Amino acid sequence: MTDFTALAAAAAPAAPVGPGLLGFLVVAAIGVALYFLVKSMNRQISKIEVPHEEDLAKREASEPAPGPESASTPGESGSGRRADGTH
């Protein structure tokens, strides 16, 4: 076994092999792309308007409950459309 390790140590290259310049450039390009993607994502998320719970409660309280007179029945005369624009 010691002969094998001695031969392996003698056959090892003098300089260590690493990723080099190409590896660094690829990782740097991925980092730059990630920066711009996160920046774009933050811009898109900031455009979303989320209503607060108080606003939702006020809206529900101010809207009247739909009654039976608001929907048209099939026997009624008229255009056959309900108030919400559906058939």
Side-chain angles (χ1 to χ4, degrees):
M1 184 88 155
T2 57
D3 295 332
F4 178 71
T5 55
L7 289 174
V17 177
L21 180 64
L22 180 63
F24 171 74
L25 292 177
V26 168
V27 171
I30 290 173
V32 169
L34 180 65
Y35 170 77
F36 285 112
L37 284 171
V38 169
K39 187 175 176 181
S40 174
M41 180 189 66
N42 285 335
R43 193 175 323 126
Q44 296 298 324
I45 288 176
S46 68
K47 291 180 184 179
I48 298 173
E49 295 181 16
V50 180
H52 296 281
E53 290 183 19
E54 298 88 23
D55 296 338
L56 292 174
K58 287 179 185 177
R59 186 182 309 161
E60 288 177 1
S62 66
E63 290 179 356
E69 64 275 351
S70 66
S72 64
T73 59
E76 285 185 49
S77 64
S79 66
R81 292 185 178 257
R82 295 192 308 203
D84 61 356
T86 59
H87 290 91

